[in-house]
Amino acid sequence: MLELRLVQGSLLKKVIESLKDLVNDANFDCSSTGFSLQAMDSSHVALMSLLLRSDGFEHYRCDHGNFPMGMKLENLSKILKCAGNDDIITIKADGPGNDTVTFMFESPSQEKIADYEMKLMDIDSEHLGIPEAEFHAIVRMPSSEFARICKDLSSIGDTVVISVTKEGIKFSTKGDIGTANVVCRQNTTVDKPEDATIIEMQQPVSLTFALRYMNSFTKATPLSNTVTISLSSDLPVVVEYKIAEMGYIRFYLAPKIEE
Amino acid sequence: PEMQASLNSFYLFL
């Protein structure tokens, strides 16, 4: 028996919208830790890791140890679009061997209750082990600013060079029509903490990434006012959006390398 | 020219 009640149902809607362009189908794992997912895009360039901790749910029951539920994200998105933004979402499933999951949507006033049953699928998921890493640079900045930069640069070029120095974090691209550079300096003298840009740098780092993926990651912007970008010269970048009181969604992207 | 690296070259399958 699995039963998860999420008062802030809009969080789940936003999470799925941020994933569905990169992943077609994925196993959601339910364990005592929480509701989680790890999935790679089909070309094995980007990986998404989601955790919604069990204590972030109003009610969390998962009796079956680790219980994977394979879902087609396009179908899940269709169903979650039927939930109102203020609805409470409850996810129910009988457990391993059962091939359906039920989503129940309750309006805040309890006047309307809907349930949608969705077929589960068997998915051979490939799970990558990601060790804890020491990063050369960790930058926290407003998520809307990061999204704006990725969108702006993708009208000029296909790749972005992200460089962190003492001066700040620089995003550069070049294309047929010209070049673009955007530098964000550390800025902690802001009225609201979420507007700050904070740079922790052990050593300068510069890496090149496909902008198409970065732009997809920014679909998670509605989940958090800030984004954390962690870079090391010999590792994929980690772009993390914290999900208030509940967990995170992390996007890992392999760099472009010199041939 | 740049080549897109794969995640498989950084992380191991479990």
Side-chain angles (χ1 to χ4, degrees), chain A residues 44-46 126-129 234 254-257 259, chain B residues 1-8 10-14:
Chain A
H44 287 199
V45 171
E126 298 159 306
H127 211 83
L128 288 181
D234 46 4
K256 296 230 171 197
I257 50 177
E259 239 175 321
Chain B
E2 285 157 336
M3 195 176 70
Q4 176 62 61
S6 160
L7 287 169
N8 306 19
F10 299 95
Y11 304 131
L12 291 174
F13 284 104
L14 291 180

Coordinates of all heavy atoms in Angstrom, one line a residue, chain A residues 44-46 126-129 234 254-257 259, chain B residues 1-8 10-14:
Chain A
H44 N 21.9 10.2 -23.0 CA 22.8 10.1 -21.8 C 23.7 11.3 -21.7 O 24.9 11.2 -21.3 CB 23.6 8.8 -21.9 CG 22.8 7.5 -21.7 ND1 23.4 6.3 -21.3 CD2 21.5 7.3 -21.7 CE1 22.5 5.4 -21.2 NE2 21.3 6.0 -21.4
V45 N 23.2 12.4 -22.0 CA 23.9 13.7 -21.8 C 23.5 14.4 -20.5 O 24.3 15.0 -19.8 CB 23.8 14.6 -23.0 CG1 24.3 16.0 -22.8 CG2 24.4 13.9 -24.2
A46 N 22.2 14.3 -20.2 CA 21.6 15.0 -19.1 C 20.9 14.0 -18.1 O 20.4 13.0 -18.6 CB 20.6 16.1 -19.5
E126 N 18.1 2.7 -16.0 CA 19.5 2.6 -15.7 C 19.8 3.6 -14.6 O 19.5 4.8 -14.8 CB 20.3 2.9 -17.0 CG 20.0 2.0 -18.2 CD 20.4 2.7 -19.5 OE1 19.8 3.8 -19.8 OE2 21.1 2.0 -20.2
H127 N 20.4 3.1 -13.5 CA 20.6 4.0 -12.4 C 22.1 4.3 -12.3 O 22.9 3.4 -12.3 CB 20.1 3.3 -11.1 CG 19.7 4.2 -10.1 ND1 18.4 4.8 -10.1 CD2 20.3 4.8 -9.0 CE1 18.3 5.6 -9.1 NE2 19.4 5.6 -8.4
L128 N 22.5 5.5 -12.3 CA 23.9 5.9 -12.2 C 24.2 6.2 -10.7 O 23.4 6.8 -10.0 CB 24.2 7.1 -13.1 CG 24.2 7.0 -14.6 CD1 24.5 8.3 -15.2 CD2 25.2 5.9 -15.0
G129 N 25.4 5.8 -10.3 CA 25.9 6.2 -9.0 C 26.6 7.5 -9.1 O 27.6 7.6 -9.9
D234 N 36.4 18.8 -14.2 CA 36.4 17.5 -14.7 C 35.1 16.7 -14.5 O 35.1 15.5 -14.4 CB 37.6 16.7 -14.1 CG 37.7 16.9 -12.6 OD1 36.8 17.6 -12.1 OD2 38.6 16.4 -12.0
A254 N 26.5 16.7 -18.9 CA 27.9 16.5 -19.3 C 28.4 17.6 -20.2 O 27.7 18.2 -21.0 CB 28.0 15.2 -20.0
P255 N 29.7 18.0 -20.0 CA 30.2 19.1 -20.8 C 30.5 18.8 -22.2 O 30.5 17.6 -22.6 CB 31.5 19.5 -20.0 CG 31.9 18.3 -19.4 CD 30.7 17.5 -19.1
K256 N 30.7 19.8 -23.0 CA 31.3 19.6 -24.3 C 32.8 19.6 -24.1 O 33.4 20.3 -23.3 CB 30.9 20.7 -25.3 CG 29.4 20.7 -25.5 CD 29.2 20.8 -27.0 CE 27.7 20.7 -27.3 NZ 27.5 20.3 -28.7
I257 N 33.5 18.7 -24.8 CA 35.0 18.6 -24.7 C 35.7 18.8 -26.0 O 35.1 18.5 -27.1 CB 35.4 17.2 -24.0 CG1 34.7 16.1 -24.8 CG2 35.0 17.2 -22.5 CD1 35.1 14.7 -24.3
E259 N 37.8 18.1 -29.1 CA 38.0 16.8 -29.8 C 39.5 16.5 -30.0 O 40.3 17.4 -30.1 CB 37.3 16.8 -31.2 CG 36.3 15.7 -31.3 CD 35.5 15.8 -32.6 OE1 35.1 16.9 -33.0 OE2 35.2 14.7 -33.1
Chain B
P1 N 36.8 22.2 -32.8 CA 35.5 21.5 -32.7 C 35.3 20.9 -31.3 O 36.3 20.4 -30.8 CB 35.6 20.4 -33.8 CG 37.0 20.3 -34.1 CD 37.7 21.6 -33.8
E2 N 34.1 20.9 -30.9 CA 33.8 20.3 -29.6 C 32.9 19.1 -29.7 O 32.1 19.0 -30.6 CB 33.2 21.3 -28.7 CG 34.1 22.4 -28.2 CD 33.4 23.6 -27.8 OE1 32.3 23.9 -28.3 OE2 34.0 24.4 -26.9
M3 N 33.1 18.1 -28.8 CA 32.3 16.9 -28.8 C 31.5 16.9 -27.5 O 32.0 17.2 -26.5 CB 33.3 15.7 -28.9 CG 32.7 14.4 -29.3 SD 34.0 13.2 -29.4 CE 34.4 13.0 -27.7
Q4 N 30.3 16.4 -27.7 CA 29.5 16.3 -26.5 C 29.9 15.0 -25.7 O 29.8 13.9 -26.2 CB 28.0 16.2 -26.9 CG 27.0 15.9 -25.7 CD 27.0 17.1 -24.7 OE1 26.7 18.2 -25.0 NE2 27.4 16.8 -23.4
A5 N 30.3 15.2 -24.5 CA 30.6 14.1 -23.6 C 29.3 13.4 -23.1 O 28.3 14.0 -23.1 CB 31.5 14.5 -22.4
S6 N 29.4 12.1 -22.8 CA 28.3 11.4 -22.2 C 28.5 11.3 -20.7 O 29.6 11.2 -20.2 CB 28.3 10.0 -22.9 OG 27.5 9.1 -22.1
L7 N 27.4 11.2 -20.0 CA 27.4 11.0 -18.6 C 28.1 9.7 -18.2 O 28.7 9.6 -17.1 CB 26.0 11.1 -18.0 CG 25.3 12.5 -17.9 CD1 23.9 12.3 -17.6 CD2 26.0 13.4 -16.9
N8 N 28.0 8.7 -19.1 CA 28.5 7.4 -18.8 C 30.1 7.5 -18.6 O 30.6 6.6 -17.9 CB 28.3 6.4 -19.9 CG 26.8 6.3 -20.3 OD1 26.1 7.2 -19.9 ND2 26.4 5.3 -20.9
F10 N 31.5 9.7 -16.8 CA 31.8 10.3 -15.5 C 31.3 9.5 -14.4 O 31.8 9.5 -13.3 CB 31.1 11.7 -15.4 CG 31.7 12.7 -16.4 CD1 31.0 12.9 -17.6 CD2 32.8 13.4 -16.2 CE1 31.5 13.8 -18.6 CE2 33.3 14.3 -17.1 CZ 32.7 14.5 -18.3
Y11 N 30.1 8.8 -14.6 CA 29.5 8.1 -13.5 C 29.3 6.6 -13.9 O 29.2 6.3 -15.1 CB 28.1 8.6 -13.2 CG 28.1 10.1 -12.9 CD1 27.2 11.0 -13.6 CD2 29.0 10.6 -12.0 CE1 27.2 12.3 -13.2 CE2 28.9 12.0 -11.7 CZ 28.1 12.8 -12.3 OH 28.1 14.2 -12.0
L12 N 29.3 5.7 -12.9 CA 29.1 4.3 -13.1 C 27.7 3.9 -13.0 O 26.9 4.4 -12.1 CB 29.9 3.5 -12.1 CG 31.5 3.6 -12.3 CD1 32.1 2.9 -11.1 CD2 31.9 3.0 -13.6
F13 N 27.3 2.9 -13.8 CA 25.9 2.3 -13.6 C 25.9 1.5 -12.4 O 26.9 0.8 -12.1 CB 25.6 1.5 -14.8 CG 25.2 2.3 -16.1 CD1 26.1 2.4 -17.1 CD2 23.9 2.9 -16.1 CE1 25.7 3.1 -18.2 CE2 23.6 3.6 -17.2 CZ 24.5 3.7 -18.3
L14 N 24.9 1.6 -11.6 CA 24.7 0.8 -10.4 C 24.1 -0.6 -10.8 O 23.3 -0.6 -11.7 CB 23.9 1.5 -9.4 CG 24.5 2.7 -8.8 CD1 23.5 3.3 -7.7 CD2 25.8 2.4 -8.1

